[in-house]
Every structure is written in C-alpha cells, then in structure tokens.
C-alpha cells in the first residue's frame, strides 16, 4: 500500500483461541482504519498486516459492514470509558477539566489509532456512519453539559453561554486541538498541554487568577 508505514506481521503457526484471534485481528483493523480511513480500509489490508489469509479475516468479520461496526464499537467503548472515568473524577469544574484534558491527550500517545479514527469519523459525513457518530457525540455533549451546568449554578463558572453551548464549543475545539497532538512541529508537548488547558478554561468560564 503506497504511503503506508504498516509493518507486515510474520505468519505464525501458533493457534490462537477464537476470541484471542478476533482481538488480534481487531487490533490490526484499528491500525489499518487509522491509516486508510473508514471508506478505504478493508479485509485485504488487515490480512496483509496480520500475516494471515484474507479468508481468515472474513471468518471473523464476514462483511465489510460488520468490520466497520466492530471498529466503531471499539472506538466508542474506549473513548466513552475515558470520558465517563474523567467525569467521575471530581465535581469541581476545574479539576474535572484537567481530568478530561489529561485523559484525551494521553490517549493520543497511548491509543493513537482510536483517536485518529475518531477524528476522521467526526468529519466524514457518510450516510452509513454519520448518524451513529451524531448519537455518540450527543452522549459526550450531555456528559459535559451536565457538569458545566453544575459549575454555573454553584457560581464556580462565569455566566454567559449556556452549558449546552459551552459543551459544543469544548467538543469542537477538542477535535482541532487533539489533531495538533499528531503534528506538534517544534512545540514542546508540555507547552501544548498548557495551551489546551488555558484555552478550555476560557471556553467553559473558569476565571484565571
């Protein structure tokens, strides 16, 4: 595949349990989808990367629709879990924001394939995947808005935009800022984190001392 940096795995004779093989192939699928995109990734590339036959990949994901569904389920589960965990970390808006920022910037380093698929999914208005993304996005927005609303009601956050509006600004800026983590240029990662923190503090209305 021209332009790809994937390394093809060596064929292995060791037999894996079906659930372990499926997990292995799903991990390779995440890598392929992150590189090729939702509309181009397929069974053949996954087989090449995994060092197995195309028939083996079809055995676990018998249609392309099934393959896309499994990949998106994985992205939803991982990023949804990060958001829920961050949301439960504190009732204080400022601390909660720190948890969100750290969780998602860390995911750029630890789970880059998931983040890259999320970024492409969020900007690819495909009739087969876009309605599902909007539903996934709504979950994030409701989670953020409920926490921001508590901060507004308690007086910890400045008045102005509604909680729902601030949540939309946060999520919209998150896409742009997270993408910068994959192309930081000469910037120090610590400087990027600091810029993200200051930007989001401003968006949700945390008063800077």
């Amino acid at each position: 595949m021209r332009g790809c940096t994937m390394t093809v795995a060596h064929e292995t004779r060791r037999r894996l349990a079906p659930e372990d093989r499926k997990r292995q192939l799903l991990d390779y699928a995440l890598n392929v989808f992150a590189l090729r995109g939702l509309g181009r990734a397929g069974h053949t590339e996954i087989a090449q990367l995994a060092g197995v036959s195309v028939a083996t990949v079809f055995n676990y994901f018998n249609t392309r629709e099934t393959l896309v569904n499994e990949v998106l389920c994985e992205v939803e589960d991982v990023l949804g879990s990060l958001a829920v965990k961050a949301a439960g970390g504190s009732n204080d808006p400022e601390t909660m924001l720190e948890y969100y920022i750290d969780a998602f910037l860390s995911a750029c380093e630890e789970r880059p394939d998931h983040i890259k698929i999320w970024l492409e999914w969020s900007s690819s208005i495909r009739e087969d995947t876009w309605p599902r993304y909007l539903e996934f996005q709504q979950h994030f927005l409701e989670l953020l808005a409920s926490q921001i609303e508590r901060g507004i009601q308690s007086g910890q956050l400045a008045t102005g935009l509604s909680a729902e509006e601030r949540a939309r600004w946060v999520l919209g800026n998150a896409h742009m800022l997270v993408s910068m983590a994959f192309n930081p240029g000469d910037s120090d990662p610590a400087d990027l984190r600091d810029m993200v923190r200051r930007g989001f503090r401003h968006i949700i209305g945390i008063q800077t001392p």
Side-chain angles (χ1 to χ4, degrees):
M1 293 179 291
R2 185 176 302 172
C4 291
T5 58
M6 296 185 297
T7 301
V8 176
H10 293 293
E11 181 72 47
T12 177
R13 298 291 182 182
R14 184 168 64 90
R15 294 185 62 83
L16 295 175
E19 61 272 18
D20 294 333
R21 175 66 77 187
K22 183 176 182 180
R23 178 68 253 180
Q24 180 194 60
L25 292 175
L26 182 57
D27 288 338
Y28 284 126
L30 288 163
N31 187 216
V32 171
F33 273 75
L35 287 167
R36 300 278 287 169
L38 291 171
R40 298 176 64 196
H43 294 72
T44 300
E45 294 93 345
I46 296 166
Q48 291 172 346
L49 184 59
V52 299
S53 68
V54 176
T56 297
V57 182
F58 270 102
N59 187 49
Y60 289 91
F61 309 101
N62 57 9
T63 65
R64 191 171 189 284
E65 290 73 20
T66 299
L67 177 60
V68 172
N69 179 65
E70 292 278 359
V71 167
L72 294 184
C73 278
E74 172 71 7
V75 172
E76 288 175 332
D77 288 346
V78 168
L79 298 189
S81 294
L82 284 179
V84 170
K85 184 177 180 180
S90 174
N91 288 324
D92 174 67
E94 186 169 359
T95 305
M96 172 270 295
L97 183 64
E98 292 288 324
Y99 284 145
Y100 270 113
I101 292 170
D102 287 341
F104 280 88
L105 289 181
S106 294
C108 290
E109 301 171 3
E110 298 166 6
R111 297 179 178 270
D113 291 341
H114 292 77
I115 297 295
K116 289 176 182 178
I117 293 168
W118 172 59
L119 287 173
E120 197 231 341
W121 188 19
S122 70
S123 60
S124 179
I125 308 178
R126 297 164 49 88
E127 63 179 2
D128 54 338
T129 57
W130 184 242
R132 180 173 178 172
Y133 177 76
L134 292 179
E135 183 178 347
F136 182 53
Q137 175 181 263
Q138 187 61 31
H139 172 70
F140 272 96
L141 290 172
E142 291 173 357
L143 194 62
L144 281 167
S146 65
Q147 294 171 302
I148 293 170
E149 181 62 32
R150 286 202 301 269
I152 295 172
Q153 293 301 321
S154 68
Q156 292 176 281
L157 298 181
T159 58
L161 294 175
S162 70
E164 291 76 14
E165 290 169 325
R166 294 185 213 197
R168 289 186 176 277
W169 274 105
V170 166
L171 190 57
N173 280 272
H175 289 92
M176 176 185 68
L177 293 168
V178 165
S179 69
M180 291 173 62
F182 295 108
N183 186 29
D186 296 328
S187 300
D188 187 321
D191 291 339
L192 177 61
R193 284 177 179 262
D194 182 61
M195 182 189 71
V196 171
R197 288 189 178 97
R198 287 186 286 111
F200 282 139
R201 286 169 63 90
H202 175 74
I203 290 170
I204 69 169
I206 295 175
Q207 301 295 327
T208 302

